[in-house]
mmCIF file of all heavy atoms in Angstrom:
data_model
loop_
_atom_site.group_PDB
_atom_site.id
_atom_site.type_symbol
_atom_site.label_atom_id
_atom_site.label_comp_id
_atom_site.label_asym_id
_atom_site.label_seq_id
_atom_site.Cartn_x
_atom_site.Cartn_y
_atom_site.Cartn_z
ATOM 1 N N ILE A 435 8.447 1.224 22.978
ATOM 2 C CA ILE A 435 9.085 0.643 21.830
ATOM 3 C C ILE A 435 9.699 -0.725 22.234
ATOM 4 O O ILE A 435 10.441 -0.800 23.168
ATOM 5 C CB ILE A 435 10.187 1.530 21.232
ATOM 6 C CG1 ILE A 435 9.604 2.836 20.701
ATOM 7 C CG2 ILE A 435 10.960 0.784 20.131
ATOM 8 C CD1 ILE A 435 10.694 3.762 20.285
ATOM 9 N N GLN A 436 9.295 -1.728 21.405
ATOM 10 C CA GLN A 436 9.795 -3.078 21.623
ATOM 11 C C GLN A 436 10.441 -3.539 20.265
ATOM 12 O O GLN A 436 9.757 -3.559 19.260
ATOM 13 C CB GLN A 436 8.648 -4.089 21.994
ATOM 14 C CG GLN A 436 8.049 -3.751 23.404
ATOM 15 C CD GLN A 436 6.967 -4.664 23.783
ATOM 16 O OE1 GLN A 436 6.633 -5.642 23.029
ATOM 17 N NE2 GLN A 436 6.330 -4.436 24.896
ATOM 18 N N THR A 437 11.704 -3.850 20.253
ATOM 19 C CA THR A 437 12.409 -4.153 18.978
ATOM 20 C C THR A 437 13.566 -5.065 19.205
ATOM 21 O O THR A 437 13.949 -5.349 20.347
ATOM 22 C CB THR A 437 12.850 -2.905 18.329
ATOM 23 O OG1 THR A 437 13.348 -3.146 17.078
ATOM 24 C CG2 THR A 437 13.834 -2.117 19.207
ATOM 25 N N GLY A 438 14.173 -5.559 18.126
ATOM 26 C CA GLY A 438 15.426 -6.231 18.238
ATOM 27 C C GLY A 438 16.583 -5.268 18.132
ATOM 28 O O GLY A 438 17.398 -5.151 19.030
ATOM 29 N N LYS A 439 16.617 -4.504 17.035
ATOM 30 C CA LYS A 439 17.654 -3.436 16.864
ATOM 31 C C LYS A 439 16.967 -2.110 16.621
ATOM 32 O O LYS A 439 16.003 -1.960 15.891
ATOM 33 C CB LYS A 439 18.470 -3.764 15.645
ATOM 34 C CG LYS A 439 19.338 -5.024 15.746
ATOM 35 C CD LYS A 439 20.141 -5.182 14.468
ATOM 36 C CE LYS A 439 20.980 -6.464 14.547
ATOM 37 N NZ LYS A 439 21.765 -6.703 13.332
ATOM 38 N N LEU A 440 17.462 -1.039 17.377
ATOM 39 C CA LEU A 440 16.981 0.314 17.241
ATOM 40 C C LEU A 440 18.177 1.219 16.892
ATOM 41 O O LEU A 440 19.174 1.225 17.566
ATOM 42 C CB LEU A 440 16.359 0.787 18.570
ATOM 43 C CG LEU A 440 15.977 2.278 18.641
ATOM 44 C CD1 LEU A 440 14.980 2.638 17.546
ATOM 45 C CD2 LEU A 440 15.505 2.606 19.988
ATOM 46 N N SER A 441 18.046 1.918 15.755
ATOM 47 C CA SER A 441 19.075 2.834 15.325
ATOM 48 C C SER A 441 18.511 4.221 15.105
ATOM 49 O O SER A 441 17.528 4.462 14.387
ATOM 50 C CB SER A 441 19.655 2.304 14.019
ATOM 51 O OG SER A 441 20.578 3.285 13.470
ATOM 52 N N LEU A 442 19.136 5.229 15.754
ATOM 53 C CA LEU A 442 18.885 6.686 15.531
ATOM 54 C C LEU A 442 20.179 7.266 15.036
ATOM 55 O O LEU A 442 21.210 7.222 15.741
ATOM 56 C CB LEU A 442 18.373 7.364 16.769
ATOM 57 C CG LEU A 442 17.039 7.001 17.384
ATOM 58 C CD1 LEU A 442 17.148 5.804 18.312
ATOM 59 C CD2 LEU A 442 16.567 8.185 18.172
ATOM 60 N N ARG A 443 20.142 7.764 13.771
ATOM 61 C CA ARG A 443 21.403 8.312 13.303
ATOM 62 C C ARG A 443 21.180 9.589 12.536
ATOM 63 O O ARG A 443 20.103 9.912 12.045
ATOM 64 C CB ARG A 443 22.024 7.265 12.342
ATOM 65 C CG ARG A 443 21.125 6.702 11.268
ATOM 66 C CD ARG A 443 21.760 5.433 10.538
ATOM 67 N NE ARG A 443 20.861 4.838 9.629
ATOM 68 C CZ ARG A 443 20.806 5.081 8.318
ATOM 69 N NH1 ARG A 443 21.605 6.090 7.742
ATOM 70 N NH2 ARG A 443 19.965 4.523 7.570
ATOM 71 N N ASP A 444 22.290 10.394 12.462
ATOM 72 C CA ASP A 444 22.309 11.649 11.706
ATOM 73 C C ASP A 444 21.252 12.604 12.023
ATOM 74 O O ASP A 444 20.789 13.339 11.201
ATOM 75 C CB ASP A 444 22.322 11.294 10.199
ATOM 76 C CG ASP A 444 23.400 10.255 9.785
ATOM 77 O OD1 ASP A 444 24.457 10.417 10.382
ATOM 78 O OD2 ASP A 444 23.167 9.413 8.885
ATOM 79 N N GLY A 445 20.834 12.676 13.316
ATOM 80 C CA GLY A 445 19.881 13.664 13.800
ATOM 81 C C GLY A 445 18.528 13.202 14.034
ATOM 82 O O GLY A 445 17.662 14.054 14.338
ATOM 83 N N ALA A 446 18.209 11.983 13.970
ATOM 84 C CA ALA A 446 16.836 11.396 14.261
ATOM 85 C C ALA A 446 16.650 11.471 15.782
ATOM 86 O O ALA A 446 17.548 11.467 16.595
ATOM 87 C CB ALA A 446 16.668 10.055 13.728
ATOM 88 N N GLU A 447 15.271 11.514 16.189
ATOM 89 C CA GLU A 447 14.926 11.710 17.556
ATOM 90 C C GLU A 447 13.884 10.758 17.991
ATOM 91 O O GLU A 447 12.956 10.355 17.213
ATOM 92 C CB GLU A 447 14.497 13.141 17.794
ATOM 93 C CG GLU A 447 15.532 14.188 17.386
ATOM 94 C CD GLU A 447 14.962 15.567 17.467
ATOM 95 O OE1 GLU A 447 14.000 15.790 18.345
ATOM 96 O OE2 GLU A 447 15.400 16.504 16.768
ATOM 97 N N ILE A 448 13.853 10.426 19.303
ATOM 98 C CA ILE A 448 12.704 9.873 19.937
ATOM 99 C C ILE A 448 12.465 10.824 21.176
ATOM 100 O O ILE A 448 13.343 11.061 21.999
ATOM 101 C CB ILE A 448 12.997 8.431 20.505
ATOM 102 C CG1 ILE A 448 13.185 7.506 19.328
ATOM 103 C CG2 ILE A 448 11.882 7.941 21.390
ATOM 104 C CD1 ILE A 448 13.476 6.069 19.704
ATOM 105 N N PHE A 449 11.226 11.336 21.295
ATOM 106 C CA PHE A 449 10.970 12.543 22.111
ATOM 107 C C PHE A 449 9.625 12.282 22.829
ATOM 108 O O PHE A 449 8.630 12.059 22.218
ATOM 109 C CB PHE A 449 10.897 13.751 21.221
ATOM 110 C CG PHE A 449 11.571 14.946 21.836
ATOM 111 C CD1 PHE A 449 12.543 15.577 21.135
ATOM 112 C CD2 PHE A 449 11.247 15.402 23.052
ATOM 113 C CE1 PHE A 449 13.231 16.684 21.656
ATOM 114 C CE2 PHE A 449 11.811 16.570 23.603
ATOM 115 C CZ PHE A 449 12.838 17.224 22.906
ATOM 116 N N ALA A 450 9.648 12.475 24.154
ATOM 117 C CA ALA A 450 8.427 12.588 24.919
ATOM 118 C C ALA A 450 8.619 13.874 25.698
ATOM 119 O O ALA A 450 9.470 14.029 26.605
ATOM 120 C CB ALA A 450 8.206 11.423 25.857
ATOM 121 N N GLU A 451 7.721 14.926 25.441
ATOM 122 C CA GLU A 451 8.028 16.255 25.909
ATOM 123 C C GLU A 451 6.725 16.943 26.364
ATOM 124 O O GLU A 451 5.633 16.621 25.896
ATOM 125 C CB GLU A 451 8.665 17.032 24.798
ATOM 126 C CG GLU A 451 9.037 18.534 25.171
ATOM 127 C CD GLU A 451 9.539 19.230 23.958
ATOM 128 O OE1 GLU A 451 9.009 19.069 22.832
ATOM 129 O OE2 GLU A 451 10.437 20.100 24.126
ATOM 130 N N THR A 452 6.907 17.851 27.252
ATOM 131 C CA THR A 452 5.863 18.820 27.513
ATOM 132 C C THR A 452 6.390 20.201 27.393
ATOM 133 O O THR A 452 7.476 20.577 27.886
ATOM 134 C CB THR A 452 5.259 18.684 29.008
ATOM 135 O OG1 THR A 452 4.316 19.731 29.202
ATOM 136 C CG2 THR A 452 6.355 18.731 30.057
ATOM 137 N N THR A 453 5.729 21.019 26.542
ATOM 138 C CA THR A 453 6.098 22.419 26.358
ATOM 139 C C THR A 453 4.967 23.391 26.871
ATOM 140 O O THR A 453 5.041 24.537 26.674
ATOM 141 C CB THR A 453 6.320 22.710 24.899
ATOM 142 O OG1 THR A 453 5.080 22.450 24.157
ATOM 143 C CG2 THR A 453 7.421 21.887 24.304
#
Side-chain angles (χ1 to χ4, degrees):
I435 296 176
Q436 297 176 2
T437 184
K439 295 180 180 180
L440 172 61
S441 174
L442 292 85
R443 53 192 175 91
D444 303 326
E447 305 175 22
I448 293 177
F449 221 122
E451 181 186 35
T452 176
T453 60

